[in-house]
Amino acid sequence: MSSLALLVLLLLALVLLMLVTGLAYVTHRHPPLATPLLVATGGAAVVMAALGVIAGLD
């Protein structure tokens, strides 16, 4: 895997991590929306799936 692909993968992981953190924060501030842990876990699963697909393309 080239260094450019690794850099893109790292940046994607950071952006998706910020998205998961934002979802957890919003649901923590507004509990009726969803359980924060469930949303964070679902977001983490999306992150892992996206990274797995991208890493598998090489």
Side-chain angles (χ1 to χ4, degrees), residues 18-40:
M18 289 185 344
L19 176 69
V20 170
T21 304
L23 286 173
Y25 174 76
V26 167
T27 55
H28 178 71
R29 296 294 291 173
H30 304 285
L33 294 177
T35 305
L37 185 58
L38 182 62
V39 171

Side-chain angles (χ1 to χ4, degrees), residues 1 50-58:
M1 187 177 279
L51 293 178
V53 167
I54 292 173
L57 290 177
D58 188 31

